[in-house]
Amino acid sequence: MGTVEPRTTWTFITNHARILAMIQRDPGVRLRDMAAACGVTERAAQAIVTDLEAAGYLSRVRQGRRNHYNITPGTSFRHPAEGHHEVADLLSLLARLGPPKGSGDHAATDRSATDREDVDAPARH
């Protein structure tokens, strides 16, 4: 019997969770860096941030030309099976895992060099 190809590609951690964990590590992370770390377009990363904001998991504040994100404490998972757990528990686990080496998640270390290069999309209110 030959190898069976998977029907779909999927991961245990969604891009929504990845982006929220990135924001927890660096509240000033750029959309460009979120997108690169998740392997999606900046537009897709913007849509995820908008989803998270609309669901009450985070808020955005403009600071000059940049967005600064604040994670809302005490939020729970959306699905009833996990609804009695706080998202902070998952974020704590993901923070301990950290980004993979060489992942390009360097936003916190080279912020000064990139502040002039990229401006996140304006916050929608």
Side-chain angles (χ1 to χ4, degrees):
M1 191 163 248
T3 59
V4 177
E5 293 294 320
R7 292 182 309 127
T8 61
T9 58
W10 58 274
T11 62
F12 282 104
I13 307 298
T14 66
N15 286 335
H16 284 69
R18 282 187 189 97
I19 285 179
L20 203 55
M22 291 175 66
I23 290 169
Q24 182 183 33
R25 282 193 296 270
D26 178 8
V29 64
R30 299 177 305 163
L31 281 172
R32 174 186 292 179
D33 296 325
M34 291 181 215
C38 291
V40 299
T41 65
E42 286 184 50
R43 184 172 290 205
Q46 174 67 46
I48 291 169
V49 168
T50 299
D51 287 348
L52 292 168
E53 186 176 26
Y57 289 99
L58 63 85
S59 61
R60 287 184 274 187
V61 177
R62 291 295 279 184
Q63 290 185 340
R65 295 174 40 178
R66 303 288 301 270
N67 282 326
H68 181 85
Y69 303 94
N70 296 302
I71 294 178
T72 306
T75 55
S76 298
F77 285 95
R78 293 170 50 125
H79 194 279
E82 296 87 26
H84 59 285
H85 292 286
E86 288 191 10
V87 171
D89 297 335
L90 175 63
L91 294 179
S92 176
L93 171 65
L94 294 175
R96 287 192 312 266
L97 296 176
K101 292 183 182 195
S103 70
D105 189 3
H106 56 277
T109 57
D110 68 354
R111 173 74 30 100
S112 61
T114 58
D115 274 349
R116 297 175 302 274
E117 294 177 1
D118 184 42
V119 178
D120 284 348
R124 292 190 281 186
H125 296 283

